[in-house]
Amino acid sequence: MPEILEIIRNAADLRRGVFPALQSIPRLVHLLTTEDGPDLRPDPSGQQHADAMATLAAEMGLSGVAWARQVHGDQVKSVTTGGFQGDADALICGTPGVGVAVRGADCPLILIAGRDAQNKPLWAAVHASWRCTVAGLTTKTLAIMHRDHAARLETMTAAICPSAGPCCYEVGREVQVEAQGRLGSAAAKFFIERDRRLLFDMWAANRTQLIEAGLNAPDIWVAGCCTICGDALFPGYRKDGSAAGRYAAVLGVRS
Ligand SMILES: [Zn+2]
């Protein structure tokens, strides 16, 4: 049985993560960078970051990649060109040749792709940090895809990338209180008490948001790789501290 997330090597021998479920969509290209680079720590509005994104666009056969300064909020932007987009934690695109990228260490990144009412491809990338998750960013992104882009949500495939998992992601009680305040009492099931620690299952919380928005459960793929206790391929903030790298999840459709 194939892995949910496979690790391959690109032409420059750098390791990349790919979801076979997303590779089955015609002309869709995607990748997850790893510790092999490029370095995505510099200021997202700066030239070094732009150069790293241009390298990824070229690797994927895209004319450009769009990215934003991630601010742990609920702002969603629809983009038609590559380049820096200002502040946002989710990007939506339907312009062939253009990719969207999000970056993370312990935060779940979510790639979504499917079709609109005219059967044209539509895709999005979400930075689902705990604050974004509690703010319902995944739900909001899918609602905007539906409202502004006529997304057929039942055609969408979603991939939840490596992040801090429910095995390790310890949070304070205030996170649970805020989650239940904003997402409703059903959010209680995303919190696990173990050894007097409170653990937040961000994978389950986002999976629920995807299903409640209209995706079919078999079309949601959770990599299941924890950036705290798993191997060192993907950077983790809690594991590596302030020197932690960032990995990117990028997807687009070739023109
Ligand atoms: Zn873990």
Side-chain angles (χ1 to χ4, degrees):
M1 193 163 149
E3 298 276 343
I4 290 172
L5 177 68
E6 290 183 358
I7 305 301
I8 60 167
R9 286 185 182 271
N10 70 6
D13 207 32
L14 305 177
R15 288 168 296 178
R16 300 292 189 231
V18 293
F19 288 90
L22 289 175
Q23 288 180 306
S24 62
I25 301 175
R27 291 193 296 132
L28 188 85
V29 286
H30 79 288
L31 61 78
L32 277 57
T33 68
T34 64
E35 290 279 357
D36 293 352
D39 184 0
L40 294 162
R41 282 173 297 179
D43 173 15
S45 66
Q47 187 59 42
Q48 205 181 333
H49 209 95
D51 292 345
M53 289 296 178
T55 301
L56 293 174
E59 178 177 336
M60 299 170 74
L62 297 168
S63 57
V65 166
W67 73 96
R69 177 181 290 107
Q70 297 168 182
V71 291
H72 301 276
D74 72 343
Q75 197 171 169
V76 182
K77 284 194 175 166
S78 296
V79 304
T80 55
T81 60
F84 180 61
Q85 308 289 330
D87 292 355
D89 284 280
L91 298 171
I92 300 170
C93 187
T95 305
V98 178
V100 289
V102 285
R103 302 169 314 287
D106 290 333
C107 301
L109 305 178
I110 307 176
L111 300 177
I112 304 166
R115 300 201 159 265
D116 68 8
Q118 268 105 50
N119 215 32
K120 290 194 292 222
L122 184 67
W123 55 98
V126 181
H127 168 242
S129 70
W130 81 257
R131 287 183 190 280
C132 297
T133 299
V134 167
L137 178 63
T138 299
T139 300
K140 186 176 173 185
T141 303
L142 293 163
I144 292 173
M145 289 173 88
H146 185 255
R147 185 194 70 196
D148 294 352
H149 302 276
R152 287 164 53 215
L153 295 173
E154 75 282 6
T155 70
M156 297 279 158
T157 296
I160 300 180
C161 302
S163 76
C167 39
C168 296
Y169 194 61
E170 189 173 356
V171 295
R173 187 67 58 185
E174 71 282 0
V175 173
Q176 184 179 27
V177 169
E178 193 174 337
Q180 289 182 235
R182 299 188 68 163
L183 301 175
S185 58
K189 65 177 179 288
F190 306 133
F191 293 84
I192 307 144
E193 305 231 21
R194 191 185 302 141
D195 303 331
R196 278 177 287 168
R197 297 194 305 156
L198 183 65
L199 302 163
F200 183 18
D201 187 347
M202 295 186 288
W203 300 340
N206 281 288
R207 192 171 184 280
T208 296
Q209 291 187 26
L210 290 160
I211 289 172
E212 288 181 353
L215 274 74
N216 294 310
D219 297 326
I220 300 167
W221 300 84
V222 181
C225 306
C226 175
T227 50
I228 297 177
C229 69
D231 65 33
L233 195 54
F234 296 97
Y237 191 81
R238 292 196 180 184
K239 179 180 66 186
D240 303 331
S242 57
R246 301 284 182 275
Y247 80 94
V250 193
L251 91 166
V253 166
R254 283 187 183 148
S255 48

